[in-house]
Amino acid sequence: TGPVLALVGATGAVGSVMVDIINGRPEVPWGEIRLIASARSAGKRITVRGQELTVQALAPEVFDGVDVAMFDVPDEVSAQWAPIAAARGAVAVDNSGAFRMDPDVPLVVPEVNADAVADRPRGIIANPNCTTLSMMAALGALHREFGLRELVVASYQAASGAGQSGIDRLYAELAAVAGKDLGVRGGDVREALAAAGLGQADSPFPAPLALNVVPWAGSVKDDGWSSEELKVRNESRKILGIPDLKVSATCVRVPVVTTHSLSVHAVFDREVTVAQAHAVFAAQPSVVLVDDPAQGRFPTPADVVGGDPTYVGRVRQALDFPNTLDFFVCGDNLRKGAALNTYEIAEQVVAAR
Ligand code: 2RA
């Protein structure tokens, strides 16, 4: 009988991908897996590794005997329940934003700072935001070799980053504009959505996403920044262990269902060539290099979705900036960006026992 794993939020967008990941592993270390969700979803039956499990309602007792409890739930649910799981003896691995910047909670990407899982005074380990996480395997590998000093990032974030409601909204908007010749201007998208009964106020996005890009993700913070942009800054610093890393990010939502992309401008302490960067990426098992633009080969969300690795391409030495690389990264925001990294942390916790 191996350790007991609990998955809280088993029926949500990330939780469902988590179940796929657990089902797809060749082997798992767990003696028992418990699926947990809100009372509304309790009683649902989900097959995990050939066994039909019944989803249990979230309550303190469900954590009794649990070794690792993974949380894929909104911030306020994690804030309340991860400490309860920890108090009942579980290590909580939390994918919300509730604990990421807590100095007593490690923020872990196993390829970059796996050892940090051991130092968890609150019994909680945080999983980074999917936007930061999507570039971390690639950046961490470069940082080890060349010393990262500055980071300028633009994100191209998928609708599923906003959860199931984001996915549903994008499909509904696409249906509202599909099959129509909207002319060279692409038509009045707001009018087309309104005619289909899709009010802007009902959308998780602040502007139409179909046939559009939206330079906003997250909530409003001081001085014009979005929460998402500050997460890229703060979380990159914490994961890489560079508290004074200079970071500037612009986060943008694009009409892609799943897979976040980032355009990265990274300045290093030491000189770095494209060939050296290619060699570093090739040596990092969780990074796949797709970089032959003359043959039309570069990562795109449509090609990498559903995969576990981070895909990197368009690697260039910046012409006007010394020691600087520009490159493009794509990563499935629901897999490595959320469920997979959380699961890898959970396995790391039991492996380190
Ligand atoms: C988003 N990164 O894409 C967020 C989700 N955590 O909206």
Side-chain angles (χ1 to χ4, degrees), residues 25 246 312:
R25 303 296 270 193
K246 291 184 180 175
V312 181

Side-chain angles (χ1 to χ4, degrees), residues 14 75 95-97 100 128-132 155-163 205 216-218 228 231 251-253 260 333-334 337-338:
V14 177
D75 292 5
N95 187 33
S96 84
R100 288 181 187 138
N129 184 36
C130 47
T131 312
T132 313
S155 73
Y156 305 76
Q157 294 178 224
S160 61
F205 309 115
W216 189 262
E228 199 72 6
K231 286 177 189 179
C251 289
V252 179
R253 191 77 66 183
H260 285 356
N333 54 300
L334 300 181

Side-chain angles (χ1 to χ4, degrees), residues 98-233:
F99 301 100
R100 288 181 187 138
M101 297 318 296
D102 184 326
D104 290 329
V105 173
L107 183 63
V108 175
V109 179
E111 294 95 321
V112 182
N113 62 344
D115 291 350
V117 300
D119 185 14
R120 42 169 199 261
R122 297 190 64 182
I124 300 171
I125 300 169
N127 191 65
N129 184 36
C130 47
T131 312
T132 313
L133 193 39
S134 298
M135 63 180 171
M136 268 306 132
L139 262 183
L142 290 174
H143 172 53
R144 271 196 298 277
E145 290 296 320
F146 307 108
L148 184 62
R149 189 194 296 176
E150 295 175 21
L151 188 58
V152 181
V153 172
S155 73
Y156 305 76
Q157 294 178 224
S160 61
Q164 190 60 46
S165 66
I167 299 173
D168 294 344
R169 177 72 190 197
L170 177 57
Y171 278 127
E173 289 192 7
L174 292 174
V177 297
K180 300 187 178 116
D181 181 347
L182 297 170
V184 71
R185 289 180 55 238
D188 186 331
V189 178
R190 288 186 190 269
E191 205 171 86
L193 300 187
L198 295 171
Q200 191 57 54
D202 301 327
S203 175
F205 309 115
L209 195 54
L211 307 181
N212 209 7
V213 295
V214 181
W216 189 262
S219 56
V220 179
K221 297 292 176 190
D222 289 347
D223 301 321
W225 294 100
S226 72
S227 57
E228 199 72 6
E229 289 156 354
L230 297 185
K231 286 177 189 179
V232 169
R233 179 169 180 254

Side-chain angles (χ1 to χ4, degrees), residues 66-71 82 85-86 89-93 117 120 123-125 345 349 353:
V66 168
D67 293 282
V68 181
M70 304 185 296
F71 285 78
V91 176
V93 184
V117 300
R120 42 169 199 261
I124 300 171
I125 300 169
I345 295 171
V349 168
R353 290 202 307 181

